[in-house]
Amino acid sequence: MGTEQQPVTALTDDLLVLGLDVGGTTMKGEVTDAAGTVLAAGVVATPQGEAAFETMGALGDQLLAELTDDQRDRVARAAVLLPGIVDPVRSIAVFSSNVGWRDVHIGDRFTRRWGMPVLIEHDVAVAGWAEWRFGAGRGHDDVCVVILGTGISGTLSVGGRLMRSAYGQTGEYGHIPVRHADGLRCPCGNIGCVETVASGASIARAYAKRTGRETASAADVFAILDTDSDAKAVVDEAISALADGLLGLIHAACPELIILGGGLAGAGPALTEPLHHTIAERLRVVPAPRVVLGEFGARAGVMGAALFARQGGLI
């Protein structure tokens, strides 16, 4: 079959959806109604390699089994969001370096297993679309969503349309080189990519290198900004690198809003305010976009999966 990605219509409010958001460390799943009420939820570790797909199926089985008979009969569609490179038209998980799969043909395996249509999509594409259409960006046509976590990526909406490449990718903002001369080598092979300075892991690593004191996460570095000059220096450099990476996109597309999501967005105003200030300082011929936090936070993926399943497409 493998026809899950054909255009479909939005579901009526009486029907339920199943959404799975697959990450490099864990996968989350929920069954929700039209109001977003969670009727069943689960989180499991993501195995390495193709074994992850059996775990996805088992998580869906578990959530559906928790429902009453009436609820189960009303689950009309599912969505599975995958990391890495995804071909939703041919239903193929092309590549994920974090999880370790390549060219896995999904086809109708979940459709047959769960007995309903199942949409397959890229996790960041759906999370960014959800924040734009239903979250912090609703009502705006020109929006850049930046997902900040272990890596950095996002989406761009221009003129009310979500921009996608011919093979479905969105924005690999984290791999824009911004520190050519003295930067660190990125796992992608380039020198000085945004991710080597501004990702959560990079901030924690830079603070440990600067001070000799290990820290568990970037959140710990942000927590001591007001009292630790080394923490401030590390965060200032991360914000500078992120601003440099976004400047070309801002000049090209003139977004009204930059929405920050992902784990690092938990820093709140300590991130949004200096990032806006830094961007505004460097712009001369285009207006500075507002920088705001996403409304869905760390749940953008799983909430996006539900909204995607309900709408039937990234509309």
Side-chain angles (χ1 to χ4, degrees):
M1 291 172 63
T3 59
E4 294 89 348
Q5 299 303 315
Q6 292 180 354
V8 287
T9 57
L11 298 177
T12 56
D13 286 352
D14 59 313
L15 298 175
L16 309 178
V17 295
L18 166 65
L20 264 62
D21 176 30
V22 181
T25 304
T26 62
M27 61 181 75
K28 304 171 186 175
E30 292 181 352
V31 176
T32 54
D33 65 13
T37 303
V38 178
L39 305 175
V43 180
V44 297
T46 303
Q48 283 292 298
E50 292 191 30
F53 292 90
E54 174 57 31
T55 301
M56 296 174 211
L59 177 57
D61 293 346
Q62 171 195 324
L63 298 179
L64 294 171
E66 292 178 12
L67 303 176
T68 66
D69 290 342
D70 172 67
Q71 290 171 335
R72 177 63 183 88
D73 289 343
R74 290 190 289 124
V75 182
R77 192 184 292 152
V80 178
L81 310 187
L82 304 173
I85 300 173
V86 183
D87 183 341
V89 175
R90 295 188 297 158
S91 196
I92 297 174
V94 179
F95 177 68
S96 171
S97 59
N98 287 335
V99 187
W101 64 58
R102 183 182 291 276
D103 293 329
V104 178
H105 186 261
I106 298 165
D108 65 347
R109 69 172 72 186
F110 295 135
T111 295
R112 287 185 287 105
R113 183 165 187 159
W114 298 331
M116 70 185 80
V118 181
L119 305 175
I120 305 296
E121 253 296 358
H122 185 260
D123 55 353
V124 172
V126 175
W129 164 81
E131 277 290 3
W132 163 51
R133 288 278 282 110
F134 301 97
R138 61 187 178 277
H140 296 276
D141 287 340
D142 304 297
V143 174
C144 173
V145 179
V146 184
I147 306 297
L148 300 160
T150 304
I152 298 173
S153 56
T155 59
L156 178 65
S157 304
V158 178
R161 294 182 60 192
L162 182 68
M163 299 291 101
R164 304 289 296 273
S165 74
Y167 51 94
Q169 289 301 96
T170 51
E172 293 291 348
Y173 307 140
H175 294 292
I176 299 172
V178 292
R179 298 293 182 264
H180 307 274
D182 57 354
L184 300 174
R185 182 169 293 279
C186 180
C188 79
N190 274 337
I191 300 293
C193 292
V194 172
E195 278 186 14
T196 66
V197 187
S199 71
S202 296
I203 290 171
R205 183 170 57 245
Y207 181 79
K209 181 178 179 181
R210 185 182 180 98
T211 65
R213 299 191 295 274
E214 294 294 328
T215 183
S217 68
D220 293 339
V221 181
F222 274 95
I224 56 175
L225 278 179
D226 294 338
T227 59
D228 189 314
S229 59
D230 290 312
K232 187 176 188 309
V234 167
V235 168
D236 285 349
E237 175 58 12
I239 289 170
S240 176
L242 181 57
D244 287 344
L246 293 173
L247 284 178
L249 181 148
I250 293 168
H251 281 92
C254 298
E256 308 163 70
L257 286 179
I258 293 176
I259 301 173
L260 303 183
L264 202 56
L271 178 60
T272 56
E273 291 176 6
L275 179 60
H276 177 266
H277 178 72
T278 302
I279 289 171
E281 271 188 336
R282 299 178 188 184
L283 294 176
R284 296 291 183 272
V285 297
V286 298
R290 288 194 296 127
V291 180
V292 301
L293 296 176
E295 289 187 8
F296 298 151
R299 284 178 43 77
V302 71
M303 290 185 68
L307 289 165
F308 176 48
R310 185 160 293 281
Q311 295 297 318
L314 300 182
I315 59 174

